[in-house]
Structures are given as C-alpha cells and as structure tokens.
Amino acid sequence: MIRRIQTKVHLTRHLKTGLAAVMLMSLFMAGCSQGGTVETPDGKKAEGGKSTEIGSTYPLNTNESIKSWEVLNMNAVTFYSNLADTPFGKALAEKTGVKVEYVHPNEQQTAEQFNLMIASDELPDVIEYDWTGRSAGSYPGGPEKAIKDGVILELNDLIDQYAPNLKKKLEADPELDKMVKTDSGKYYVFPMIRNPSGLVFRGPMIRKDWLDELNLPVPTTIEEWEKTLIEFRDKKGAKAPLSVTYTGGNFEIRDAFIGAYRTSNTFYVDDSGKVKYGPIDPQYKDFLSLFRKWFAEGLFDKDFALTDTKALDNKILTGQTGATVNLLSGGLGKWMDAMKEQDPKFKLAATPYPTLKKGEVPFTGQLDFKYNPGPSKAITTAAKNPELVARWLDYAYSDEGAMLFNFGIEGESYAMENGKPAYTDLIKKNEKYSLQQMVSQYSKPNGPYEADERRNWNTYPEQDEAVKIWRETDAKKHILPAFITPTEEESKELGKIMTEVNSYKEEMFVKFIVGKEPMESYDHYVEQIKKLGIERAVEIYQNAMERYNKR
C-alpha cells in the first residue's frame, strides 16, 4: 500500500483552503454588490447582509461534482448499472444540487478492488466501506491508521460546522455517538444508523410444509433437530437435509447450533464480561463432534464446503435441503417468492436458535448494532471540497432526505396514508419483480442515513414472525461489538495473528467434520492455535473493548 505523508496532506489542504478563502471572499464582495447569495469562508450564507447557518437550505448552489465509490445494491443491478441513473440517484442530485459520479466495484471482488484503489493512491472524494479493521477486507489498522496514513479525513470539524443534521443526532444519542468514533474521539464516517427492528435479520429456518406433512413440531433443541433431519432424509428424500453456504472460508451457520454449547465460531464475550475465542473452547469440540456425526449420517450437506449462494438456492428450491441458516429477505423471502407460482404449498418458517435443553434461552444468535460500519461513508483526503461533501452527506439525515433514502419518491414509490408512508402498488404489487427489487430503484437500502422504524420490506407474515423468534436470545450479552478499535500497533499484530489462525482453523474445521482428522486431535489443534498467538489476540480485543466502554 502506498502511504501518503500526513504533513504533505495537511499542507496541501491548507493551501487549498487558503486559495478557496481568497476566491470565496472575492465572490462574496461581488455577490454583495449584486444583491445575490454566496457562501462565506466561514461556511455561512450571506443574503443582503444577513447570514444563516449552512446545511439548512437545499439544493446547494454549486457547480462542483463529487465522486463516490460504493457497492451498487444487488437488487438495483437488475435494472441499472449505475446509481446515478436510478430514480433515487436522479432525485438525490436534484434535491441536493450536487452531481455525483458513482464508481461501483464488483460485489464479489469489493475487498480486492478497494485494496487496489488504496494502493493506487488515486482516491475518489468519498468511499462507502468498512473502516473498522475488524472484518475481513476492512481497512487494516482501522480508522486511526486510515487517518494517519492520509487516506481519510478526521471529521470532527466538518461534522461540527457542515453537518448540523448528523450533529444533532449524535448529540441526542450518546450510545450512537460512542460507536461512531475512535478511542481518541475522532469521527471518521457518516454512519449507517439501523432502526431497532432492523438489528435482527438472519437465523435458522426450515420447510414448514414438510413439518406439517410429517406431523413434526418446530424443533428447538439439538435432539429435536436430529430427529427432524432424519425424517427429512428418510421420508422426504432430502440429499442434504441441513445445508448452509460456505464462502471465502466463512461458515455461514454463524452461531446457530454452535451457541447451543455456549460458545461461538469466533470471538465472543462470556458471562463474566471477558473476551474468549470460541473455536478453542472445550465445548466447541462437542459442536464439531455433532456435525461430524450429522455429516457421516447424511443429515448435514456432504458438499457443504462447496456450497455458495447459488448452490444453496438450488438445493432449497429443488427439495434437496429442508433447513438452513440464512437471511430474512435474501433467503426466506427470496425463496418463498421463487416458489410462489411453482409450488404454492412451499412454506418456510423461522425456528428458534437451538439449545441443548428445552426452554433454555439461546446463548447467542445474530444481532447487529445501531451503527452499521459497512455502508458508512468516509471523506478522503483527495476530496476537492470536503465541506461540500459533508453538506451533501448531511442531507440524508434531514427530514426530507430521510424520506428519500428510506422510502423513495413521494407519489411514485410511496404515498402518505394516515400520516404514515406506505408503498404504492407499483412497489408492492409488481407482477414481475419483488418488493426489494422495486424499492432498490427508488431508495437506498443501505447507506449513510438513519433507517426509518416505519420501513418494512417483509412481504410475508413468516418474515415478521421470524424477527420475533430470532431476537429471543442472549446475544446482546455475548457479541463482541464490531466497531471497537484496536490501536495501530495492536491492529498490525492482530492482522498477522488472525491471518494464520483463520487459515489453520478453517482447514481443521473441515477436516474434523468430514472425518479426515480424528477428534482425538482436538487438543493438539487447540495448542497449535495458541502457538499462533490467539491468546494475544484475545488480550488485544479485551483491551479494545475496555477502552470502548470508557469512551
């Protein structure tokens, strides 16, 4: 990665600011003599001797354009190849007065294209990406290092002066405020803010029509699950009764089934508040033994290590698979849509996260936080006019902007009914396309704005019920926040450790389950992971979590 020298960046920005101030002052004098409206160097508008705070009036009066690098929603790709051409993109440009050139990476190669862009030293004005350093592909070293490297800007002054709508939200919500800055207090993105009902969207699901046909209850315990999967294999001819996607070394079962043994497939927080790494817990061996048994008996997909999204789609829709762990809309809703005409009896239903004992509260499950790092936007040091970018981004947090980002265009994609936004028939009764596909043209399903509590993309009552079922876990106590920020030095160390740990852990994970490695090797496997430095990684996360708690 090519690194900029920070002093050079600051010098360049000071020069740009100084030149801009001179130009704006001359425009200001000319504007006063003509009775027009211009922007003063302090970011305020002057009209006939009066000034008003910036950010209060859109569209902005500018001839400058912005370049934004961001993934295009996969549903929108059905209709358009660029966000600028969508009804949403056109409306946003009209409402803000800012023309935007969007650069969309290939969704399957986002991390690679992000790294190439950073290395090229040719940056757009704004980048929508995960800067936390926590997830695979996110900026190594996290936001503090990205700022130090001269890649993105610290946003404290820009938010304070040019983003009154976001500033108001952060001041009103200390919990959110704590999430979106570093340990040293630096804001680094305009955040995606989830609404409370959008925190749970993944979990275990099952063919409900098969359960009804076989007179079986919805399984809740590991024992009940095993009996159900045997019935699916023997009575329904399912070749892979339980299957999940396994892409890029990521076992997408997440913590379903694993949580029954009070552990995790990754780092988690135990009952005493200490960070642990689940795949070396003694009880993790019990989970591996279970899935090894299910694999051998044909209850768990024999081809699980080769199953990507398309392969799972095929297995679900052709009756090869009767249960999985997947998304609310991108799984349950998508598959029910696909089978609506082909097999009207086809029905999926959510199941609780499995436990060992009947009536236990599941140890963990999928639960996200109010701040969603991935679809949040950072302003880069290459931004020609970062103040303009901040004002453009802040529109999304205004009342008017929130309606556009959440619901789209009034009169086209939604209408107000009894004081509440409701999707029009164009969106919810389209014969050819799903609600999610239609919505993606008119709004931004994910991005730097606050998701509206009234927004609901569920098209089936089973989806609404799924959220209620999946949120009944103790996940809030046990999930390690995605936005804690190790220091630059810690991040370097962590990156090196986890690259080796993840590679070895996934290799052994597959070998244990398919029977290529005896379970007697588990202790040796744990020792090897410890030798690779996992205990130091746990210590780093523990320190980072404690610093976060003190913010």
Side-chain angles (χ1 to χ4, degrees):
M1 183 182 296
I2 299 173
R3 297 184 183 177
R4 297 183 183 85
I5 300 174
Q6 189 68 12
T7 52
K8 179 182 176 182
V9 172
H10 285 166
L11 177 60
T12 303
R13 283 185 41 70
H14 285 316
L15 286 171
K16 285 164 64 178
T17 304
L19 288 170
V22 172
M23 291 173 67
L24 283 169
M25 184 57 73
S26 61
L27 284 171
F28 173 65
M29 297 304 292
C32 287
S33 64
Q34 296 170 12
T37 301
V38 296
E39 293 179 13
T40 64
D42 64 359
K44 297 183 179 181
K45 287 185 176 180
E47 302 181 62
K50 297 178 181 179
S51 65
T52 56
E53 290 296 330
I54 57 87
S56 59
T57 304
Y58 293 93
L60 303 173
N61 183 20
T62 181
N63 293 320
E64 293 188 55
S65 61
I66 289 171
K67 182 182 282 190
S68 177
W69 189 95
E70 57 190 84
V71 173
L72 181 62
N73 182 273
M74 64 178 183
N75 285 312
V77 173
T78 306
F79 311 96
Y80 299 95
S81 61
N82 196 280
L83 189 62
D85 300 324
T86 65
F88 167 82
K90 291 177 179 178
L92 181 62
E94 180 185 345
K95 295 288 187 181
T96 61
V98 180
K99 183 179 178 182
V100 182
E101 176 189 348
Y102 295 96
V103 179
H104 300 304
N106 183 303
E107 190 173 23
Q108 303 303 317
Q109 301 173 320
T110 305
E112 293 90 334
Q113 292 185 26
F114 172 81
N115 290 331
L116 285 172
M117 175 179 61
I118 298 297
S120 74
D121 208 33
E122 294 181 7
L123 301 177
D125 298 283
V126 63
I127 298 174
E128 185 173 301
Y129 200 69
D130 182 356
W131 296 91
T132 62
R134 275 288 312 278
S135 63
S138 63
Y139 193 86
E144 289 276 14
K145 189 165 187 297
I147 293 169
K148 184 179 178 181
D149 287 347
V151 175
I152 64 174
L153 297 175
E154 176 188 330
L155 300 179
N156 294 48
D157 290 342
L158 286 169
I159 291 174
D160 184 53
Q161 297 178 48
Y162 300 98
N165 296 306
L166 175 58
K167 180 182 177 181
K168 184 178 178 181
K169 289 186 184 299
L170 295 176
E171 289 176 341
D173 191 338
E175 180 189 15
L176 174 66
D177 184 72
K178 191 165 80 165
M179 292 178 181
V180 301
K181 59 189 177 187
T182 67
D183 293 329
S184 65
K186 295 184 178 75
Y187 296 112
Y188 58 97
V189 288
F190 280 71
M192 168 78 188
I193 308 170
R194 292 190 177 100
N195 70 60
S197 64
L199 304 183
V200 174
F201 47 81
R202 177 189 288 273
M205 59 189 74
I206 200 162
R207 283 289 296 269
K208 182 65 166 61
D209 53 324
W210 287 7
L211 292 180
D212 293 343
E213 181 185 331
L214 298 168
N215 199 28
L216 295 170
V218 172
T220 62
T221 65
I222 295 295
E223 183 181 359
E224 288 175 351
W225 266 95
E226 184 165 309
K227 290 178 180 177
T228 300
L229 295 175
I230 289 171
E231 290 285 289
F232 283 5
R233 180 195 65 190
D234 296 346
K235 303 285 179 63
K236 297 303 298 180
K239 295 179 181 178
L242 172 64
S243 182
V244 295
T245 54
Y246 189 92
T247 54
N250 193 7
F251 188 46
E252 293 290 344
I253 206 162
R254 303 295 171 95
D255 285 337
F257 298 95
I258 301 173
Y261 298 93
R262 301 187 69 78
T263 185
S264 169
N265 202 33
T266 184
F267 295 93
Y268 71 99
V269 182
D270 71 9
D271 289 334
S272 66
K274 297 297 182 183
V275 176
K276 295 283 185 70
Y277 183 63
I280 62 170
D281 282 343
Q283 65 269 33
Y284 191 81
K285 181 180 179 181
D286 296 330
F287 156 72
L288 289 175
S289 298
L290 174 74
F291 268 63
R292 181 189 184 95
K293 176 175 179 283
W294 285 2
F295 179 89
E297 295 175 358
L299 303 181
F300 180 53
D301 193 350
K302 292 279 189 182
D303 296 322
F304 78 92
L306 303 173
T307 301
D308 59 11
T309 301
K310 287 185 179 179
L312 183 61
D313 287 346
N314 181 59
K315 290 172 185 179
I316 292 286
L317 300 179
T318 59
Q320 297 176 57
T321 291
T324 188
V325 181
N326 214 279
L327 296 166
L328 187 66
S329 295
L332 193 151
K334 178 178 72 172
W335 294 322
M336 288 186 70
D337 272 339
M339 297 300 286
K340 191 163 46 177
E341 303 292 335
Q342 188 176 333
D343 182 4
K345 293 181 180 179
F346 180 96
K347 185 185 256 189
L348 290 167
T351 74
Y353 278 82
T355 56
L356 288 180
K357 297 177 182 176
K358 196 82 172 171
E360 269 187 318
V361 176
F363 178 75
T364 190
Q366 182 270 320
L367 175 69
D368 270 300
F369 294 84
K370 194 179 296 186
Y371 164 45
N372 185 358
S376 299
K377 278 189 167 78
I379 301 176
T380 75
T381 54
K384 299 178 291 294
N385 187 341
E387 295 82 5
L388 176 67
V389 179
R391 295 174 67 187
W392 173 69
L393 289 168
D394 193 53
Y395 174 75
Y397 303 95
S398 68
D399 291 342
E400 181 183 275
M403 294 302 291
L404 174 63
F405 275 74
N406 279 283
F407 300 104
I409 302 168
E410 187 171 7
E412 291 186 47
S413 57
Y414 79 94
M416 297 303 293
E417 296 178 5
N418 300 318
K420 296 180 180 179
Y423 289 122
T424 60
D425 287 349
L426 170 71
I427 303 297
K428 64 184 181 182
K429 292 186 179 179
N430 195 284
E431 293 183 2
K432 191 173 181 182
Y433 300 106
S434 69
L435 183 146
Q436 289 81 12
Q437 287 175 314
M438 294 302 296
V439 160
S440 70
Q441 303 176 72
Y442 289 91
S443 63
K444 198 170 189 323
N446 290 295
Y449 65 95
E450 182 172 18
D452 195 300
E453 183 68 35
R454 300 168 296 180
R455 186 176 73 179
N456 188 335
W457 297 329
N458 296 341
T459 50
Y460 299 96
E462 288 85 356
Q463 290 173 293
D464 294 327
E465 186 63 22
V467 174
K468 296 176 186 175
I469 292 170
W470 292 338
R471 68 185 176 202
E472 293 301 317
T473 72
D474 275 340
K476 191 171 184 179
K477 297 178 186 175
H478 299 125
I479 290 180
L480 188 67
F483 37 77
I484 58 175
T485 52
T487 65
E488 180 182 342
E489 292 73 21
E490 287 174 338
S491 292
K492 284 181 187 175
E493 196 177 354
L494 195 59
K496 184 179 179 182
I497 292 170
M498 292 314 299
T499 297
E500 294 181 354
V501 165
N502 288 334
S503 177
Y504 177 69
K505 179 256 179 185
E506 287 304 323
E507 175 191 346
M508 294 300 292
F509 178 89
V510 174
K511 285 182 176 180
F512 279 131
I513 288 181
V514 304
K516 287 187 177 180
E517 191 74 35
M519 290 311 300
E520 288 75 18
S521 298
Y522 186 77
D523 290 344
H524 174 72
Y525 149 83
V526 170
E527 285 305 312
Q528 285 299 111
I529 289 186
K530 287 181 178 179
K531 285 180 183 178
L532 292 174
I534 195 64
E535 289 168 317
R536 172 58 183 152
V538 167
E539 182 183 19
I540 288 172
Y541 277 134
Q542 183 70 44
N543 292 339
M545 187 174 71
E546 289 173 4
R547 289 195 303 269
Y548 168 75
N549 290 333
K550 292 176 183 176
R551 285 182 191 172

